Amino acid sequence: MDALSAGGVVVISGMAGVGKTTLALHGAHRIADRFGDGHLYADLHGFGPGGEPTPPGEILDRFLQALGVAPADVPGDLAVRAGLFRTLTTGRRLLILLDNAAGADQVRDLLPGAGPGLTVITSRETLPTLLARVGARPLVLRPPDDEEALALLVARVGTDRTRAEPVAAREIVARTGGLPLALAVVAARAVTQVHLPLSAIAAELRAAHGTLDAFAGADDEVRAVLSWSYRALEPEAARALRVLGAHPGPDVSVAAAASMLALPEPHTRTLLRALVAAALLVEHRPGRFAAHDLVRAFAAGLPWSGDQERREAVHRLLDHCLHTACEAAMAVFTARPRIPLPPALPGVVVSAPSPDAATWFADEYPVLLAAHDLAHRDGFGGHAWRLAWALRDFLSRQGLWHHLQTSQQLGLAAAQRLGDRLAEAHCRRGLALAEANLGRYSAAREQLRQAAEGFDAAGAVEFLAETHRFQIWVLDCAGDHETQLELAERLLETYPPGTAASYRASALNSVSWSEIRLGRFGPALAHARAALASGEGLGPYSLADTWHTLGSAQAGLGDHEAAELSFTRSAEVYLRVGAHALAAVALRTLGDVHRDAGRHDQADAAYRRALAAAGGSDDPRAAAISAELAVYRT
């Protein structure tokens, strides 16, 4: 209401069905008495079943007659007609509502002369030229949040029904994405068929599996209003929406979209912004674009020229995801051998993730998981097991253990279908990591045994050594520290001085931690310092791990000040890569060091920081850490 009350020109934009016209009409009705010189309304039919927007000359003809111009006196020339309209409206307190505009060209001649009036324009386009040229104020509508959408449903179907079935009511809101038009269609079914429980209607939406079929009625209104937006697009933008319909979501980067479209990134960005202007996409973060669930369902149902066109677009997307994810994995987790990749298809954007690989993973992993599932469903077995490999360590370190387990199981199934024993060994190695994280150490050891056999049979020496490194970690989790140290020392012999710095640093850290677990703090200190001396060879997680190991050795030797610095550095690196639960462990240990040194205020501050870090994490370890910290602080 504040935007409308200020007068001038207001552009209300947003996706189809979000409620632009409803808001404009409701707002105009509430403030109509402030405009004593009259009200003008026109439906411009910019998006609708007719396919052709109403010409501005026709609207001007009606407006001029409403302002008292005789039909015979209406000028024939459009420019003269528009000039007369501006003259007659200058200085007058008029309320003008131009509903459903196709674009700025359609409304430019319909704007009144200067004065205290208000012109409200609704459009699926944002009409940026009007904002720039006449100072129009934008009002971009988004779908309501869950509580607002639930209130809309309650208003239509009644409080009694929604209170009786609150779970079903919220599922209806979730499956309509809160879009007012979709809610209205579903609510109409509920109101006209009162014998149907809301749970049955929710089940219909669930059974549609993310398509628009559940909204199909006599007029199929949801699909229709979206199709009007689609038909108004330029051919290239229409193709972009159709191709992006094969993207599994939840959002898409410019590079991924460019890969699917086989177009340069600058041109792709232009097309994506055209879809934003048409209210079919939202640039919810710089360079990342998302669509409402119902728009995605509509796009997924658009026809392709053939199965091969879709398959090639999906192949290019999976190539982009795989190559970029592998680069990110190698940048973040430097102590792992690289797997060979088949070349990407022409048109695929293959570049190192920037500006920071750890941040890229945090942004992109939901897309990578969705792409992995798509690879499995569409029969891209090579992509399926390789994406599982690329995701492995990030999912483990972030505490996303069920995602880790599922991805490795899908990768293993793909490898077995391909008859690729080496690929199978990689996925068993990943499954071992999932099993150990979930506390199933016997299962983890069995998966590692089978992985080692596969790597040994293939002569994959580097991957066999990596498997031994994870056997050390499982032994640590299981508490067999003597065997852990023996295996760690044998691993270190595999990487003598002068070999790959990241591998040797990882082995040194394994030896150091194993020694700490046995109370051998002096040798542990030397090995941890040697690991840190690798400098640039350490990825961020390995760096944080090694600082934590060094701090533990220093604390064991009673060097509290040095230990405090090491644990602080460890926590800082973990926080930088979003590993909040691991940061909480480091900060908790820092608090213990302060407490042991008699610095209770500093210990309390460290425990508070640890609680905050654990509270910001979905990692399964976070709850246990928080419970321990609560005890420490009492």
Side-chain angles (χ1 to χ4, degrees):
M1 288 302 103
D2 290 341
L4 299 184
S5 298
V9 179
V10 176
V11 177
I12 303 176
S13 62
M15 68 174 291
V18 78
K20 301 180 293 295
T21 298
T22 300
L23 174 65
L25 289 172
H26 177 71
H29 177 74
R30 287 186 58 180
I31 62 175
D33 58 353
R34 304 180 192 177
F35 299 92
D37 289 332
H39 311 140
L40 299 172
Y41 169 83
D43 183 350
L44 305 185
H45 297 101
F47 301 87
E52 290 296 329
T54 305
E58 183 178 321
I59 303 297
L60 283 170
D61 182 56
R62 300 205 312 256
F63 279 3
L64 289 171
Q65 291 184 52
L67 292 170
V69 178
D73 294 333
V74 174
D77 181 78
L78 176 61
V80 177
R81 194 178 299 186
L84 177 59
F85 177 67
R86 286 192 294 273
T87 299
L88 292 176
T89 54
T90 296
R92 299 180 67 173
R93 190 173 290 276
L94 288 167
L95 172 57
I96 302 171
L97 176 53
L98 304 173
D99 189 28
N100 196 12
D105 288 344
Q106 190 186 18
V107 298
R108 188 174 294 110
D109 290 326
L110 304 178
L111 299 178
L118 168 66
T119 301
V120 180
I121 304 165
T122 72
S123 178
R124 297 181 194 180
E125 300 277 353
T126 53
L127 310 185
T129 57
L130 287 189
L131 309 185
R133 293 182 181 179
V134 302
R137 298 190 308 282
L139 180 58
V140 181
L141 290 193
R142 309 290 187 205
D145 63 28
D146 288 348
E147 294 306 316
E148 293 169 333
L150 182 61
L152 289 175
L153 183 65
V154 171
R156 289 180 176 271
V157 304
T159 303
D160 292 342
R161 291 182 75 179
T162 52
R163 281 183 178 170
E165 297 185 88
V167 175
R170 287 195 175 275
E171 183 175 0
I172 288 170
V173 167
R175 293 190 180 276
T176 58
L179 188 67
L181 175 62
L183 278 171
V185 170
V186 174
R189 176 160 167 71
V191 170
T192 56
Q193 301 191 45
V194 293
H195 62 285
L196 278 180
L198 294 183
S199 58
I201 295 173
E204 290 178 356
L205 295 173
R206 195 183 317 128
H209 302 295
T211 69
L212 297 181
D213 293 345
F215 303 100
D219 298 322
D220 203 359
E221 192 172 0
V222 175
R223 185 177 278 109
V225 296
L226 292 173
S227 71
W228 301 335
S229 291
Y230 175 67
R231 290 201 300 266
L233 295 171
E234 295 294 329
E236 269 200 301
R239 173 183 175 260
L241 183 67
R242 184 180 73 248
V243 171
L244 291 177
H247 190 283
D251 63 1
V252 62
S253 66
V254 176
S259 297
M260 294 190 76
L261 295 166
L263 292 173
E265 288 185 75
H267 189 45
T268 299
R269 187 177 286 105
T270 298
L271 293 175
L272 291 172
R273 287 179 176 162
L275 294 176
V276 170
L280 291 165
L281 290 183
V282 175
E283 190 173 6
H284 68 111
R285 292 172 56 193
R288 300 195 71 86
F289 297 80
H292 188 278
D293 288 348
L294 298 184
V295 174
R296 287 179 57 201
F298 172 79
L302 292 171
W304 294 77
S305 61
D307 290 342
Q308 187 62 25
E309 183 192 13
R310 181 188 182 279
R311 188 165 182 82
E312 287 177 358
V314 170
H315 194 161
R316 289 193 298 270
L317 169 66
L318 294 177
D319 277 356
H320 164 77
C321 290
L322 176 60
H323 282 262
T324 314
C326 285
E327 288 301 317
M330 294 307 301
V332 178
F333 305 102
T334 56
R336 61 187 298 183
R338 183 186 292 270
I339 60 171
L341 298 178
L345 291 180
V348 172
V349 177
V350 178
S351 58
S354 59
D356 174 72
T359 301
W360 180 89
F361 252 131
D363 289 341
E364 202 74 27
Y365 85 86
V367 175
L368 296 175
L369 287 171
H372 185 240
D373 188 59
L374 176 64
H376 174 71
R377 291 197 318 269
D378 279 22
F380 289 92
H383 291 82
W385 79 257
R386 290 183 178 92
L387 276 169
W389 178 88
L391 282 162
R392 183 192 73 198
D393 290 345
F394 175 81
L395 295 177
S396 176
R397 289 307 201 116
Q398 292 291 323
L400 301 166
W401 296 336
H402 290 290
H403 284 310
L404 172 64
Q405 184 179 40
T406 300
S407 65
Q408 303 308 307
Q409 287 171 337
L410 292 179
L412 178 61
Q416 290 173 331
R417 283 196 303 271
L418 293 168
D420 188 335
R421 192 175 179 191
L422 182 58
E424 183 179 336
H426 281 296
C427 295
R428 289 197 182 280
R429 155 72 182 76
L431 274 173
L433 187 55
E435 297 286 9
N437 278 324
L438 294 168
R440 298 193 283 259
Y441 303 122
S442 294
R445 283 193 289 267
E446 175 57 23
Q447 292 291 353
L448 285 171
R449 184 190 66 78
Q450 294 188 54
E453 287 181 356
F455 290 134
D456 191 34
V461 177
E462 286 187 325
F463 293 115
L464 182 59
E466 185 194 31
T467 304
H468 292 326
R469 180 162 58 86
F470 277 87
Q471 287 173 330
I472 295 167
W473 179 72
V474 172
L475 288 167
D476 181 39
C477 294
D480 187 355
H481 303 309
E482 291 286 355
T483 308
Q484 171 189 346
L485 178 57
E486 290 175 12
L487 193 54
E489 288 174 335
R490 288 205 301 271
L491 178 65
L492 181 58
E493 292 172 0
T494 307
Y495 303 112
T499 57
S502 59
Y503 295 174
R504 179 167 173 78
S506 179
L508 283 164
N509 189 55
S510 292
V511 170
S512 180
W513 184 250
S514 302
E515 290 168 333
I516 287 168
R517 301 291 268 175
L518 293 168
R520 303 174 187 176
F521 300 114
L525 182 68
H527 284 121
R529 283 175 171 165
L532 279 174
S534 299
E536 299 270 335
L538 292 170
Y541 286 95
S542 293
L543 180 62
D545 292 346
T546 308
W547 277 116
H548 192 280
T549 301
L550 180 63
S552 298
Q554 291 162 334
L557 292 169
D559 189 350
H560 294 136
E561 289 187 5
E564 290 161 13
L565 178 60
S566 296
F567 287 126
T568 299
R569 287 176 172 171
S570 175
E572 288 171 351
V573 178
Y574 282 136
L575 288 171
R576 192 171 69 238
V577 296
H580 294 282
L582 296 175
V585 172
L587 290 166
R588 179 193 63 191
T589 313
L590 173 62
D592 294 345
V593 172
H594 282 307
R595 185 187 59 189
D596 292 344
R599 292 189 285 270
H600 298 291
D601 288 345
Q602 289 170 281
D604 188 64
Y607 290 147
R608 286 178 183 276
R609 289 181 63 201
L611 272 171
S617 173
D618 294 327
D619 191 308
R621 293 166 287 197
I625 294 168
S626 296
E628 291 175 15
L629 288 165
V631 172
Y632 287 156
R633 296 193 63 239
T634 56

